[in-house]
Amino acid sequence: MPTRSDTICAYQVRQKEIPVRTFNLNRIPLQDEVVIVGGGVAGCAASIALARKGRGVTLIEREPAPRHKVCGEFLSGEALEDLRALDIDVAALGAAPIQYVRLAAARRAAEAPLPFHAASLTRKALDTALIAAAIAAGVRVERGCGVQRLARTAGNLWRATLDDGSTREAPTVFLATGKHDLRGHARPRDPKRWVAFKMYFRLAPSQAAELARASELMLYPGGYGGIQPVEDGIANLCCVVQQRYLARAGHRWESFLAKIQRDCPHLAMRLAGAEPVLAKPIAITHIPYGFIRPTTEEGLYCIGDQAAVIPSFTGDGISIALHTARRAVDAYLASEPAPVFQAKLRSAMLTQMRLAEFAADGLNNALARAVLPFCLRVWPGVMRVTARLTRISQHAVVAPHAVAG
Ligand SMILES: Cc1cc2nc3c(=O)[nH]c(=O)nc-3n(C[C@H](O)[C@H](O)[C@H](O)COP(=O)(O)OP(=O)(O)OC[C@H]3O[C@@H](n4cnc5c(N)ncnc54)[C@H](O)[C@@H]3O)c2cc1C
């Protein structure tokens, strides 16, 4: 049986170094009920909920510390509600409030108020807070070593084999590795070969003032991008593009950024005089938009992006990660078998996912790009309708520990 030793980790919460004791089981064999693979939004949320119910949970996260992730960092109303139930106060972490959505294509832009409270917060800050909350709830967090393989043992347990060759076993595993697939549990290939970039900018003061409280969606051939303020006065520019369109820009970020500014003058205006904050953008490939996991094996609950991948323009992936984590925990606590849970989750999400995909296809259509902002000026309510239709709408039950936010 594997053993563990003491680990002290330092977590940076808004500039402050807080030493945190992650676990202290001095060479006691593992006796966990649940192993969670992946300590992002879904994995942390599930681990907190299980630990609060007194369950023994080990969370395995391959990164030694939270880092920047490719994400638009928009937190929808549902996401905020779920985070509040986990005692995550995004305002205290410096999240920027978002009240409007603006759509820009070619030379037109249209604005509509959001039908719910929203915010935006860097993933680094959010993931840091979630891991700290998991530790505070009593979750044993192991970081800095990823899971390489997940397989059934002869004794009907799940065995996770880590990069260092050590193993962890439990009757139940929650798979929450986000965009990273584990061998044997991979999602289908992404036929459009999406590439996504995230870059932070410090905008010129007049542009920062224009962007305040707004999330702007920009359309261009082969994809779309979003720009919005996050904490500490910076703006997040996050873009997706199909690889064949990126090829036209020589597969280079600088050329791609120049091209989308030519295609979308609104973005060029926002970025005039802006200073990049990171040395280079963060990028990912292979995003299987529209994927919903149809089934799973006994004892393996798939959550977050491992359950479903909604098109990014909806800004709903974090909400889905929290929602699927909550539903999986409820199912596990009610002894609902994982295959039953996964099938129910799929049918509950199918309509929203298909609508979001349909809308995403529309955004990539040249005619739609030309007329959409004009239509939205005439009828801005369509944005509110789209926002509602593409959202998951089951609300969080506030846990006993939760504080009013
Ligand atoms: C371009 C783009 C823009 C987006 N914008 C938004 C937005 O504005 N708002 C929104 O709500 N959603 C957005 N999303 C979606 C959102 O980022 C995801 O849906 C959400 O992060 C999924 O959460 P998760 O917990 O499943 O995965 P993650 O939060 O990615 O966490 C997965 C974790 O698993 C760890 N891991 C991976 N492999 C292993 C392994 N083998 N062993 C151990 N650990 C492992 C990773 O290090 C990571 O910490 C966007 C997505 C993209 C691609």
Side-chain angles (χ1 to χ4, degrees), residues 115 379-391:
W379 185 34
V382 78
M383 269 199 235
R384 289 196 293 273
V385 174
T386 311
R388 280 205 195 287
L389 287 177
T390 56
R391 298 216 114 67

Side-chain angles (χ1 to χ4, degrees), residues 38 40-42 61-62 69 72-74 123 147 178 305 312 315 317-318:
V41 177
E61 165 56 46
R62 72 176 182 184
K69 285 179 177 160
E73 302 178 330
F74 174 85
R123 286 300 304 274
V147 169
D305 280 359
S312 302
I318 293 172

Side-chain angles (χ1 to χ4, degrees), residues 37-43 60-63 67 69-76 123 127 145-148 176-180 182 196-197 228 238-240 284 287 289 303-306 308 312 315-319 321:
V37 185
V41 177
I60 303 172
E61 165 56 46
R62 72 176 182 184
E63 297 297 334
R67 58 188 183 93
K69 285 179 177 160
V70 176
C71 184
E73 302 178 330
F74 174 85
L75 296 171
S76 66
R123 286 300 304 274
D127 289 5
C145 199
V147 169
Q148 244 179 35
T177 52
K179 42 196 79 60
H180 307 279
L182 280 191
F197 294 99
Q228 60 181 0
C238 191
C239 322
V240 295
I284 53 161
I287 315 164
Y289 287 131
I303 56 176
D305 280 359
Q306 287 294 320
S312 302
D316 218 19
I318 293 172
S319 165

